[in-house]
Amino acid sequence: MTTNWLEGVTEKLIPTSLGLINVRVGGRSDGPAMVCWPSLMMDGAMWQYQYEHFAPTHRVVLIDSPGHGKSDALRKIIDLKDCSDALVEILDALDIDKCVLVGNSWGGMLAGVFPAHYPQRTAAAIGINCTASLPTTVESIWATALSTFLSLHSKMPPLAAKAARAAFAGPTAEATNPEFTEFTKFVLRDDPKSVAWALRSILIGRKDEHRRLNTIRDVPVLIIAGEEDSQFPVHVVRKMADAIEGSTFRVLQHTAHLAARENPEGVNAEIDAFLATLPATV
């Protein structure tokens, strides 16, 4: 992973109800705003390939979600409404009226509910590898075990990298994409206690949001599933899309849970096609 893509990007800490949130802002300063919220265990840097692709046309904002990257540590239970409120505070601080919100996993769930809570701040929403369903029993068991284990450590234990690789990489990545499987070690930079709180909040503690999604009107929404996603399988992601009136649903073949980073060409192409159907100001 190179770092020169960050040249010209400004970075700042923005006060929010969830503490200081680190954001990177770059791209076309007079372009429509595209805000990217990452997966749990990732920070805004996971969006490198989306930044490089959309920076010529959009003002791109990369967020380090609560407890991740350079944002303040997370030491309490939060929910997607809390994240939505914090995102509005970020938009206000950056003088952004409306944004195209792009999210993967945690960010994808937020991209679903944000236009329900704040339609007036959403030009369009794109959710990748996301769900609006309650956690399954199996998911609750493993996430509870992982969060308990992580909460006992002050430094991210090596086992976390194995857990992230199992969660993020599918058969195709394991067989053909060593750069991506190596990238999953990124999680070793995380604060384990913050990740434990995020697991309890966003995975174990999440609510069924389908009824809320059904209230969305007049906001274009794209939902993308990964064929090999073992965390949120295609039928679960499709159910989320079906709850949003008029949404667009796409499946990326040979792609698992961290699609934006594993298969950026496929994700970027789907976003391009989606945005092409919207007004030129989006």
Side-chain angles (χ1 to χ4, degrees), residues 7 31 86 90 105 125 133 164 170 194 230 248 258:
E7 290 180 6
I90 293 169
S105 190
S133 298
S194 286
S230 61
T248 301
L258 205 64

Side-chain angles (χ1 to χ4, degrees), residues 54-122:
F54 291 103
T57 55
H58 287 74
R59 181 187 182 195
V60 183
V61 179
L62 309 179
I63 293 177
D64 289 354
S65 46
H68 292 69
K70 297 179 183 178
S71 294
D72 277 351
L74 185 62
R75 293 294 186 269
K76 65 179 181 179
I77 294 293
I78 63 173
D79 60 21
L80 292 175
K81 179 57 165 61
D82 296 325
C83 296
S84 296
D85 295 342
L87 179 53
V88 168
E89 293 172 299
I90 293 169
L91 296 180
D92 289 344
L94 297 176
D95 293 319
I96 294 172
D97 179 31
K98 285 189 173 187
C99 72
V100 176
L101 177 58
V102 185
N104 199 124
S105 190
W106 177 358
M109 290 186 267
L110 180 61
V113 303
F114 186 74
H117 290 301
Y118 294 104
Q120 73 278 15
R121 307 304 295 269
T122 318

Side-chain angles (χ1 to χ4, degrees), residues 6 13 20 60 69 91 100 139 142 146 169 183 222 229 243 259 261:
L6 289 171
L13 289 167
L20 294 173
V60 183
L91 296 180
V100 176
E139 187 180 4
W142 79 255
L146 180 59
F183 172 78
L222 168 65
D229 189 348
R261 186 56 177 70

